[in-house]
């Protein structure tokens, strides 16, 4: 391991000293020992205003990282491969199987050392079950078996003599003394099966450990991405957004409500900053940060206000880093994993019952053999009989091993790990695995507008300023407006804002930091030749009035000379309603009369109707800092800006794909209803017959009224986080699977309530991200649609594997049970069954659980909340394939003894250099085994398509995992059969027998096609429906909506219907319906419900 870099001598303080300072939380020590904040900043070679010097950016602040450490946390060491390997042996059935194999080995070795002459080919069980000659049929009765007993015994002795003679005469090698007894040839078989079983168990454990090891590594890398948040810092006088891992000691961090503190630090300045430190101290109340209580702990959330801090300790030297050392990275099981674990347990119980019956049957047959030998006074070789009994237990436990589908949870894990990694490439960071499964069943998506449906690339395009309306901004503003008025306008933009336009530390390219709406106003100020940074730096800021979703505005009080000015901006109708004066271009202040208000509302209406966000800016002057109890009253209206946020070009197609997938898309926005309708109509969400409402209108409806209007509700405008939460709860109550997007701190309850909460990676606060299941890294709606595809793909992949495995379970258990019942023993021995188990669990899970999503996943209805794991269509395919396979297996076992393809001639049996190492029954059972495996391999192709699709080969070339596993399984099977020999009890097959095995396996494909010819329709399934559910809404929609809230009938009559009543008896609020009527500008016009239309201001709604 490379030595850690030596601390730099450039800094006066050591990281241990800073840790002690932070731990002490002593303001006195900060002042006395370090000279207060200014002295501390000097010792750290940073500035409280500008942060570390920009010259350090060239080497990535390497000296600071070397001296103080990096902002990375210690992780629990990953579980080693060997530990995972040994953990695989904790399974009860594997333990029993291993013990049985060891006992078998021990008995065989004991026999060899004792040297007793025994022929374990003549056990009582085998004499009963393996009595027929090659080419002969089964005897009809037990008496026939007894009648031929002597003949069989004589022929066995004759075959042994032939073997000995062949070895002596044809090889020219003298027969060793210990092999002169023909019985000794069978002795290796008494323990070699045990050795092979142990070897097979080791392989299974190795594969299981490999899967677990790979899964843990993938989840660790995903956790690194999940914990990587963007932080706003000041470096070289500019604000930048950097990764939390790039935070260094001396950075000045800018914090707002909803942010997570990325490192330990000391508060510099701020407004109403309060921190939730419950995760560190257990204190439930928010802790205000101020000069007397400045110490801030990493890992805690900002719940109120905004401010700045200087970073003092990072990484493992921080308080959070100390805690992280003790945390584990254990992952909870998802609901689907839990369901499949339960299903696997139930299937295992059925397998245990079959194994018990099989064991009982074998014991009965063995007992009959012992009784017959005793009746004839034959010599009983008890060593061989013990070996036979051990074999019974091994076979029975192996049946349990095969029956227990450990591969089901494994398939989910592989599919989830694969999907989560791929989803990351599609800009979906999965924080909770359950979201992968649930997203596939989503029936409703409640989406934000700004940044999700639109590009969040704000530009001021037109507006009204000081009595003049401009269709192009900035146009001639500087010529038309008095410089003093323009100063007020620009000062309000610069001071009453938290955003900034910075430059990349390395490339120097401009980058917008913070709200894109605020950045659009800052760009406007630069176009008007103002330096907003200088204005902001020189301003004497006294107070910021926090934003709230109820206020829908934000204000800042500053001192300008001997005057005090309050600057306010926010939702147009809100701020305009608080103004009673206006200023004109000449700087004259006059009353804001009704006619002017009507004119301004008309401008707002026109801009909003064309899809622009409108923002009103106002100010108020006072002689003292005290603005009274209502500081935002009696303000002077400066201007109303129209801000364009273009629709993402890919959104209309994505929305249409959701409709084809049976998913209802609703826009939930803080914008006014006219802007929301315009954008929703443009992207295809708002359609003919759809309903658009405002949050206050929706909020007052009774539950019954909500239930009636919800199926048609497409736009919820001017909504608050509370409205969003009410909407989500009601939809879930009605049985819908709801995915909801959010980016504000107050969106956290709705994100938690939703089946899948999706936060925004760019504009979202850390509180929103912590509450969400998925982080949309690019804030793009099309990424949400990709998440739906991956969710459906996970569910389908699990179903594919389930259909494949249950077919094998049914066939393997039925063959084992029937064969044992009929005295045929078990055609598939323990080693062969373990190989089949390996095919089923690890290899098939890897092949079928990694099928990538296809476009046709969005051409059917969502699964919904109550979809069973095994559909009726799956049962149809499982039963059909099981019937085919059982017919084939029983035909080879019981009906093909006179067919040369299935048997070996005695001449071939006696031509081996090593003697008759296989019998006709071994050849026949090898045919059974080989045919069984190839039936599964071809059924694995059938299982790729579980919804009655005819083209089962579609996209097979795009899945290298599948092709690789398929080829490897086929090759290993060939080696297994041809070269397994006595170790796995197989006989090398002739080429014609191979063709027959493969040919029987191929039949599964046309058989599956025949099954698919029978039509199947899911209950309630209607493919590619773009319309939504029909309902009788609470409001009759038979005519034009008038401004009074009454409905004019479509036949033109004036017999107006009375407006509907709410639960409390008041008139129901107006509902906007896409029809010939429009709402007059006096209803619900204005600006979005954010402080400035911004996404990430304190307390902001999800816009």
């Amino acid at each position: 391991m490379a030595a850690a870099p030596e601390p730099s001598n450039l800094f006066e303080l050591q990281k241990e000293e800073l840790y002690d300072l932070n731990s002490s939380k002593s303001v006195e020590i900060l002042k006395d020992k370090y000279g207060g904040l200014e002295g501390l900043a000097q010792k750290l070679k940073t500035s409280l205003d500008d942060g570390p010097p920009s010259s350090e950016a060239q080497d990535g602040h390497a000296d600071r990282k070397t001296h103080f450490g990096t902002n990375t946390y210690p992780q629990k060491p990953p579980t080693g491969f060997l530990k995972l390997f040994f953990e695989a042996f904790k399974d009860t059935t594997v333990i029993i199987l291993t013990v049985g194999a060891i006992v078998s080995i021990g008995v065989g070795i004991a026999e060899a050392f004792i040297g007793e002459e025994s022929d374990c080919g003549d056990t009582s069980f085998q004499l009963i079950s393996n009595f027929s000659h090659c080419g002969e049929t089964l005897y009809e009765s037990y008496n026939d078996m007894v009648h031929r007993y002597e003949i069989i015994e004589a022929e066995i002795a004759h075959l042994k003599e032939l073997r000995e003679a062949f070895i002596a005469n044809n090889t020219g090698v003298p027969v060793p003394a210990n092999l002169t007894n023909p019985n000794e040839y069978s002795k290796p078989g008494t323990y070699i099966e045990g050795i092979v079983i142990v070897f097979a168990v080791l392989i299974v454990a190795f594969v299981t450990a490999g899967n677990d090891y790979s899964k843990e590594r993938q989840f660790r890398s995903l956790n690194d991405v999940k914990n990587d948040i963007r932080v706003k810092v000041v470096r070289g006088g500019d604000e930048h957004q950097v990764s939390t891992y790039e935070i260094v000691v001396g950075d000045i961090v800018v914090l707002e409500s909803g942010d997570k503190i990325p490192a330990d630090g000391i508060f510099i300045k701020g407004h109403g900053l309060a921190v939730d430190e419950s995760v560190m101290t257990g204190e439930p109340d928010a802790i205000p940060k101020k000069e007397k209580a400045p110490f801030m702990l990493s890992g805690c959330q900002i719940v109120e206000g905004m401010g700045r801090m200087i970073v003092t300790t990072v990484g493992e030297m921080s308080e959070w880093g100390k805690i992280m050392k003790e945390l584990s990275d254990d992952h909870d099981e998802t609901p689907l994993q839990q369901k499949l674990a339960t299903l696997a347990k139930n299937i295992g119980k059925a397998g245990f019952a079959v194994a018990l019956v099989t064991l009982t049957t074998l014991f009965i047959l063995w007992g009959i053999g012992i009784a017959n030998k005793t009746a004839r006074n034959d010599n009983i070789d008890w060593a061989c009989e013990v070996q036979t009994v051990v074999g019974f237990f091994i076979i029975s436990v192996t049946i349990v091993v095969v029956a227990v589908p450990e591969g089901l949870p494994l398939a989910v894990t592989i599919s989830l790990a694969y999907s989560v990694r791929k989803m990351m490439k599609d800009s979906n960071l999965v924080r909770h695995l359950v979201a992968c499964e649930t997203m596939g069943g989503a029936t409703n998506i409640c989406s934000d507008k700004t940044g999700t449906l639109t590009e969040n690339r704000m530009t001021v395009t037109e507006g009204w300023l000081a009595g003049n309306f401009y269709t192009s901004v900035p146009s001639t503003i500087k010529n038309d407006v008095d410089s003093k008025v323009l100063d007020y306008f620009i000062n309000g933009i610069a001071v009453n804002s938290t955003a900034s336009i910075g430059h990349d530390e390395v490339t120097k390219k401009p980058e917008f930091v913070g709200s894109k709406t605020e950045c659009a106003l800052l760009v406007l100020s630069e176009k008007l030749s103002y330096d907003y940074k200088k204005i902001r730096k020189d301003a004497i800021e006294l107070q910021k009035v926090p934003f709230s979703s109820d206020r829908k505005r934000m204000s800042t009080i500053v001192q300008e000379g001997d005057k005090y000015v309050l600057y306010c901006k926010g939702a147009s109708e809100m701020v305009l309603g608080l103004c009673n004066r206006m200023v004109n271009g000449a700087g004259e202040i006059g009353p804001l009369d009704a006619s002017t208000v009507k004119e301004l509302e008309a401008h707002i209406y026109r801009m909003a109707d064309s899809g622009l966000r409108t923002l009103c800016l106002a100010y108020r002057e006072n002689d003292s800092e005290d603005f009274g109890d209502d500081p935002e009253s009696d303000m002077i209206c400066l201007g109303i800006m129209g801000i364009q946020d273009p629709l993402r070009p890919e959104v209309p197609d994505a929305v249409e794909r959701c409709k084809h997938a049976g998913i209802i898309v609703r826009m939930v926005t803080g914008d006014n209803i006219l802007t929301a309708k315009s954008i929703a109509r443009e992207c295809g969400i708002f359609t003919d017959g759809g309903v658009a409402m405002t949050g206050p209108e929706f909020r007052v409806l009774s539950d019954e009224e909500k239930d009636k209007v919800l199926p048609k509700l497409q736009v919820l405008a001017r909504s608050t986080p509370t409205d969003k939460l009410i909407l989500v709860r009601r939809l879930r109550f009605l049985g819908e699977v709801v995915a909801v997007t959010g980016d504000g701190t107050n969106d956290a309850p709705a994100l938690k309530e939703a089946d899948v909460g999706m936060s925004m990676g760019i504009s979202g606060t850390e509180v929103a991200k912590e509450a969400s299941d998925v982080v949309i890294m690019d804030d793009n709606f099309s990424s949400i649609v990709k998440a739906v595809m991956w969710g459906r793909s996970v569910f389908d992949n699990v179903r594919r594997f389930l259909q494949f495995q249950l077919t094998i379970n049914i066939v393997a258990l039925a063959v084992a049970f029937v064969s044992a019942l009929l005295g045929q023993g078990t055609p598939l021995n323990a080693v062969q069954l373990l190989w089949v188990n390996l095919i089923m669990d690890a290899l098939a899970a890897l092949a079928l659980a990694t099928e990538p999503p296809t476009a046709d996943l969005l051409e059917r209805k969502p699964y919904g909340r109550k979809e069973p794991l095994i559909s009726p269509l799956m049962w149809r395919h499982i039963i059909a394939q099981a019937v085919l396979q059982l017919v084939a297996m029983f035909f080879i076992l019981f009906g093909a003894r006179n067919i040369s393809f299935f048997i070996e001639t005695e001449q071939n049996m006696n031509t081996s250099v090593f003697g008759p190492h296989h019998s006709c029954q071994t050849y026949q059972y090898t045919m059974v085994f080989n045919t069984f495996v190839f039936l599964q391999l071809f059924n694995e192709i059938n299982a790729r398509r579980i919804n009655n699709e005819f083209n089962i080969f579609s996209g097979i070339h795009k899945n290298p995992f599948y092709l690789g596993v398929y080829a490897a399984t086929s090759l290993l099977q060939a080696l297994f059969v041809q070269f397994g020999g006595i170790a796995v009890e197989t006989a090398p097959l002739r080429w014609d027998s191979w063709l027959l095995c493969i040919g029987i396996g191929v039949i599964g494909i046309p058989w599956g096609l025949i099954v698919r010819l029978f039509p199947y329709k899911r209950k309630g399934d209607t493919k590619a429906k773009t319309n939504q559910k029909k309902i009788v809404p609470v409001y009759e929609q038979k005519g034009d909506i008038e401004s009074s809230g009454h409905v004019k009938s479509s036949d033109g009559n004036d017999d107006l219907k009375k407006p509907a009543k709410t639960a409390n008896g008041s008139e129901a609020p107006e509902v906007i319906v896409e029809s010939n009527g429009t709402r007059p500008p006096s209803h619900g016009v204005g600006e979005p419900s954010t402080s400035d239309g911004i996404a990430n201001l304190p307390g902001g709604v999800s816009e």
Side-chain angles (χ1 to χ4, degrees):
M1 179 181 293
E6 290 294 328
S8 168
N9 295 320
L10 297 175
F11 303 96
E12 298 180 32
L13 299 176
Q14 300 300 318
K15 57 185 179 181
E16 290 78 12
E17 294 178 87
L18 293 171
Y19 174 75
D20 292 339
L21 171 63
N22 236 54
S23 299
S24 71
K25 296 181 176 58
S26 172
V27 178
E28 288 74 18
I29 293 177
L30 174 63
K31 289 180 179 180
D32 298 340
K33 185 175 180 180
Y34 298 100
L37 283 173
E38 288 289 349
L40 180 65
Q42 290 179 5
K43 294 178 186 297
L44 296 178
K45 297 189 181 302
T46 187
S47 166
L48 295 179
D49 294 323
D50 299 332
S54 57
S55 58
E56 294 184 11
Q58 299 302 319
D59 61 0
H61 303 276
D63 288 335
R64 291 183 183 273
K65 292 178 180 178
T66 301
H67 190 84
F68 298 110
T70 59
N71 198 34
T72 54
Y73 301 111
Q75 290 187 346
K76 180 183 177 181
T79 307
F81 181 84
L82 285 178
K83 184 176 181 181
L84 292 172
F85 179 78
F86 288 114
E87 283 181 355
F89 288 92
K90 292 181 180 179
D91 182 79
T92 305
T93 51
V94 172
I95 292 173
I96 296 173
L97 191 62
T98 305
V99 170
I102 292 173
V103 170
S104 178
I105 294 171
V107 172
I109 292 175
E111 272 189 43
F113 276 102
I114 293 171
E116 292 182 358
E117 292 188 1
S118 61
D119 187 355
C120 291
D122 285 353
T123 62
S124 304
F125 169 73
Q126 290 169 326
L127 285 175
I128 293 177
S129 61
N130 302 337
F131 55 84
S132 59
H133 284 273
C134 298
E136 292 185 357
T137 60
L138 284 170
Y139 288 93
E140 296 294 331
S141 66
Y142 172 72
N143 291 330
D144 291 331
M145 291 190 288
V146 176
H147 180 71
R148 291 293 303 271
Y149 175 81
E150 291 83 2
I151 298 175
I152 295 171
E153 190 175 42
E155 289 181 354
I156 290 174
H158 177 62
L159 289 174
K160 292 176 181 177
E161 292 174 2
L162 288 175
R163 176 176 58 185
E164 182 180 356
F166 181 82
I167 292 174
N169 297 330
N170 290 282
T171 65
V173 179
V175 180
N178 66 329
L179 295 182
T180 54
N181 188 342
N183 296 330
E184 294 298 327
Y185 286 106
S186 63
K187 282 193 176 182
T190 61
Y191 57 81
I192 197 166
E193 183 181 36
I195 293 174
V196 175
I197 289 172
V198 171
F199 183 71
V201 168
L202 291 175
I203 292 177
V204 171
F206 183 85
V207 172
T208 302
N211 280 329
D212 290 341
Y213 185 74
S214 175
K215 175 190 70 176
E216 183 171 351
R217 288 173 62 89
Q218 288 175 3
F219 284 134
R220 276 180 173 268
S221 63
L222 288 168
N223 271 335
D224 290 339
V225 177
K226 180 180 73 175
N227 296 327
D228 184 11
I229 61 177
R230 305 297 292 176
V231 182
K232 190 189 298 185
V233 299
V234 179
R235 291 176 177 174
D238 285 337
E239 289 189 3
H240 306 273
Q241 278 192 323
V242 300
S243 165
T244 187
Y245 300 134
E246 292 299 316
I247 295 291
V248 295
V249 171
D251 267 335
I252 306 302
V253 179
V254 181
L255 297 167
E256 299 177 4
S257 177
D259 289 345
K260 177 185 283 187
I261 301 175
D264 288 353
I266 301 175
F267 174 77
I268 301 173
K269 62 180 180 179
H271 298 281
L273 190 70
V275 181
D276 177 8
E277 296 184 349
S278 58
V279 294
M280 300 296 293
T281 65
E283 175 61 48
D285 298 327
I287 308 298
K289 292 299 173 181
K290 47 193 175 183
E291 186 179 349
K292 294 182 179 179
F295 293 94
M296 305 181 72
L297 302 177
S298 57
C300 300
Q301 299 278 357
I302 306 296
V303 294
E304 290 179 16
M306 56 191 68
R308 293 186 175 195
M309 78 169 198
I310 180 172
V311 175
T312 53
T313 56
V314 295
E316 61 182 7
M317 294 303 296
S318 67
E319 290 295 330
W320 185 250
K322 300 293 184 183
I323 292 177
M324 287 295 290
K325 286 184 178 180
E326 308 301 325
L327 295 181
S328 65
D329 296 322
D330 297 333
H331 305 288
D332 294 333
E333 284 190 336
T334 69
L336 187 54
Q337 285 174 316
Q338 293 170 355
K339 281 184 182 179
L340 289 174
T342 302
L343 179 61
K345 187 180 295 184
N346 292 334
I347 296 174
K349 290 178 180 178
F352 180 80
V354 172
L356 185 62
V357 173
T358 303
L359 179 64
T360 303
T361 304
L362 293 175
F363 263 113
I364 292 173
L365 293 174
W366 176 77
I368 292 173
I370 291 292
N372 289 333
K373 279 191 173 185
T374 302
R376 294 193 304 270
N377 294 319
D378 289 345
N379 182 45
I380 299 176
D381 190 332
W382 287 106
C384 286
E385 300 299 345
V386 169
Q387 184 70 25
T388 300
V389 171
V390 171
F392 293 166
F393 281 103
I394 290 176
I395 288 292
S396 300
V397 174
T398 306
I399 290 174
V400 175
V401 172
V402 174
V404 175
E406 301 97 336
L408 288 181
L410 177 64
V412 185
T413 301
I414 291 176
S415 186
L416 287 174
Y418 173 77
S419 300
V420 166
R421 189 175 71 253
K422 292 292 186 180
M423 286 175 73
M424 186 63 202
K425 295 181 179 179
D426 285 337
S427 300
N428 288 281
L429 171 60
V430 178
R431 299 187 70 256
H432 302 135
L433 286 179
V434 64
C436 280
E437 308 162 9
T438 312
M439 199 63 200
T443 59
N444 280 252
I445 297 177
C446 300
S447 173
D448 288 338
K449 178 182 73 67
T450 303
T452 308
L453 300 172
T454 62
E455 294 182 359
N456 204 14
R457 184 165 49 87
M458 306 292 188
T459 307
V460 180
T461 57
E462 54 187 89
W464 177 91
L465 179 63
N468 300 308
F469 186 81
Y470 299 91
T471 56
S472 176
V473 175
S475 185
T476 60
I477 287 178
K478 294 192 74 172
N479 299 327
D480 299 337
V481 179
D482 181 77
S483 60
K484 184 178 180 181
V485 175
L486 202 55
D487 285 345
Y488 279 118
F489 177 68
I490 298 299
N491 287 351
I493 290 175
V495 176
N496 192 28
S497 169
T498 58
S500 64
I501 303 173
H503 294 82
D504 186 91
E505 289 186 285
V506 180
T507 65
K508 303 303 179 183
K509 292 182 179 180
E511 57 179 6
F512 290 159
V513 181
S515 161
K516 300 302 185 290
T517 306
E518 284 190 341
C519 288
L521 294 174
L522 295 177
V523 169
L524 173 62
S525 71
E526 290 185 338
K527 287 181 178 179
L528 293 172
S529 304
Y530 282 84
D531 185 353
Y532 79 88
K533 291 183 181 179
K534 185 178 185 307
I535 296 172
R536 188 180 291 177
K537 187 173 183 179
D538 294 342
I540 304 174
E541 191 175 298
L542 302 177
Q543 183 182 357
K544 279 191 185 295
V545 182
F547 172 85
S548 75
S549 55
D550 295 326
R551 289 164 28 84
K552 295 182 173 64
R553 60 190 180 275
M554 171 185 179
S555 298
T556 301
I557 299 175
V558 297
Q559 182 179 355
E560 296 181 358
D562 58 352
K563 292 185 300 183
Y564 298 87
V565 184
L566 179 147
Y567 293 103
C568 179
K569 72 174 184 292
S572 295
E573 78 276 18
M574 292 290 183
V575 177
L576 186 60
L578 296 171
C579 296
N580 60 2
R581 293 168 291 168
M582 62 165 284
V583 63
N584 62 22
E588 299 170 345
I589 297 175
L592 189 64
D593 54 31
S595 61
T596 306
V597 170
K598 188 173 182 180
E599 177 188 348
L600 292 178
E601 286 182 339
H603 287 310
I604 293 171
Y605 176 87
R606 191 191 61 75
M607 288 190 288
D609 197 45
S610 61
L612 299 183
R613 310 183 72 186
T614 59
L615 202 67
C616 183
L617 293 91
Y619 76 101
R620 175 187 172 187
E621 291 183 330
N622 201 38
D623 294 332
S624 68
E625 184 178 348
D626 183 9
F627 279 76
D629 295 333
D630 192 5
E632 295 169 330
S633 61
D634 301 330
M635 292 191 295
I636 301 168
C637 182
L638 272 169
I640 299 171
M641 296 293 104
I643 302 174
Q644 184 183 52
D645 184 13
L647 186 71
R648 291 183 184 270
E650 65 273 19
V651 164
D653 177 63
V655 171
E656 190 63 27
R657 291 168 70 192
C658 283
K659 291 181 179 180
H660 279 284
I663 301 172
I664 299 175
V665 182
R666 310 174 195 269
M667 177 192 288
V668 184
T669 176
D671 261 327
N672 68 66
I673 197 162
L674 298 173
T675 304
K677 281 177 58 183
S678 176
I679 298 297
R681 188 184 299 110
E682 190 178 351
C683 63
I685 292 176
F686 193 37
T687 58
D688 291 343
V691 172
M693 299 180 70
T694 64
E697 292 169 340
F698 179 74
R699 199 182 308 148
V700 299
L701 297 178
S702 67
D703 287 342
E704 292 75 15
E705 290 168 333
K706 288 188 183 77
D707 294 347
K708 289 181 180 179
V709 79
L710 275 176
K712 290 280 186 176
L713 181 64
Q714 296 173 339
V715 177
L716 189 63
R718 195 56 81 201
S719 64
T720 66
T722 302
D723 299 324
K724 183 184 287 187
L725 178 61
I726 293 171
L727 173 64
V728 171
R729 280 180 175 168
R730 204 64 211 162
L731 287 171
R732 294 192 72 218
F733 177 81
L734 296 175
E736 304 288 349
V737 180
V738 184
V740 64
T741 67
D743 52 18
T745 301
N746 290 350
D747 283 329
L751 291 169
K752 282 285 188 183
E753 180 70 21
D755 293 285
V756 181
M758 313 185 84
S759 62
M760 301 295 105
I762 298 174
S763 61
T765 64
E766 286 309 310
V767 171
K769 292 176 185 177
E770 287 292 326
S772 66
D773 303 298
V774 179
V775 179
I776 308 301
M777 302 302 291
D778 59 357
D779 290 14
N780 195 333
F781 183 81
S782 63
S783 298
I784 299 174
V785 180
K786 292 175 184 176
V788 173
M789 289 181 61
W790 279 108
R792 294 189 177 192
S793 178
V794 168
F795 196 75
D796 276 9
N797 285 346
V798 171
R799 279 185 154 185
R800 291 183 180 104
F801 181 75
L802 193 58
Q803 178 175 305
F804 171 73
Q805 181 155 46
L806 286 181
T807 305
I808 296 181
N809 282 110
I810 292 173
V811 175
L813 294 179
V815 169
F817 174 69
V818 173
S819 299
L821 200 62
L822 296 179
Q824 283 296 103
T826 49
L828 302 177
N829 62 42
V831 179
Q832 293 167 358
L833 285 174
L834 283 172
W835 167 239
V836 171
N837 193 52
L838 184 65
I839 295 175
M840 286 196 303
D841 285 353
L843 300 182
L846 187 62
L848 293 173
T850 55
E851 281 286 323
T854 56
D856 63 345
L857 288 171
L858 297 179
E859 292 296 326
R860 62 173 188 259
K861 285 176 65 67
Y863 292 121
R865 194 176 298 278
K866 298 181 180 179
E867 183 78 10
L869 274 176
I870 309 174
S871 67
L873 180 60
M874 290 172 63
W875 277 120
R876 179 196 292 182
H877 285 285
I878 291 169
I879 293 172
Q881 291 293 335
V883 168
L884 170 68
Q885 294 183 21
L886 286 173
V887 168
M889 300 286 283
F890 288 143
F891 174 74
I892 297 173
L893 273 174
F894 304 118
R897 290 179 179 268
N898 289 318
I899 301 177
S900 61
F901 286 110
F902 298 95
I903 61 172
E904 179 70 297
T905 62
E906 294 198 18
Q907 179 182 0
N908 289 338
M909 286 169 51
N910 295 320
T911 57
S912 170
V913 174
F914 299 102
H917 62 280
H918 64 267
S919 65
C920 63
Q921 188 183 59
T922 304
Y923 196 91
Q924 180 190 21
Y925 281 5
T926 303
M927 286 288 293
V928 171
F929 168 57
N930 203 36
T931 302
F932 177 72
V933 169
F934 275 96
L935 280 167
Q936 310 318 319
L937 285 174
F938 285 103
N939 189 39
E940 193 173 324
I941 300 176
N942 275 321
R944 293 185 66 248
R945 295 292 177 261
I946 56 172
N947 292 296
N948 252 19
E949 300 96 328
F950 284 98
N951 186 3
I952 59 175
F953 296 97
S954 174
I956 195 171
H957 62 288
K958 296 180 181 178
N959 189 350
F961 283 110
Y962 185 92
L963 295 176
V965 169
Y966 200 89
T969 306
S970 303
L971 177 62
L972 289 172
Q973 175 64 17
L975 296 175
F976 209 80
V977 169
Q978 293 301 108
F979 303 103
I982 194 171
V984 293
E985 298 184 30
T986 58
L989 298 182
R990 304 188 306 269
W991 66 270
D992 55 343
S993 297
W994 266 103
L995 289 179
L996 188 62
C997 292
I998 296 173
I1000 294 174
V1002 170
I1003 294 175
I1005 291 180
W1007 177 247
L1009 181 62
I1010 293 172
V1011 175
R1012 283 176 167 81
L1013 291 175
F1014 294 92
Y1016 173 80
K1017 186 176 181 181
R1018 282 174 58 197
K1019 185 177 180 180
D1021 196 4
T1022 52
K1023 183 181 178 181
K1025 277 205 171 184
T1026 58
N1027 62 308
Q1028 299 174 359
K1029 305 172 186 176
K1030 283 194 173 184
I1031 52 100
V1032 180
V1034 66
Y1035 307 99
E1036 292 290 335
Q1037 300 177 12
K1038 295 184 178 179
D1040 296 345
I1041 301 295
E1042 296 190 342
S1043 60
S1044 63
H1046 292 78
V1047 180
K1048 183 178 179 180
S1049 62
S1050 57
D1051 59 8
N1053 294 332
D1054 292 329
D1055 50 331
L1056 301 179
K1057 297 188 178 183
K1058 291 183 178 180
K1061 300 287 185 179
T1062 61
N1064 60 13
S1066 61
E1067 286 192 0
E1070 176 187 2
V1071 178
I1072 296 296
V1073 179
E1074 179 64 12
S1075 59
N1076 295 330
T1078 57
R1079 172 181 288 201
S1082 59
H1083 288 272
V1085 297
E1087 190 31 43
S1089 55
T1090 58
S1091 62
D1092 55 4
I1094 358 189
N1096 56 358
L1097 277 183
V1101 298
S1102 56
E1103 258 308 291

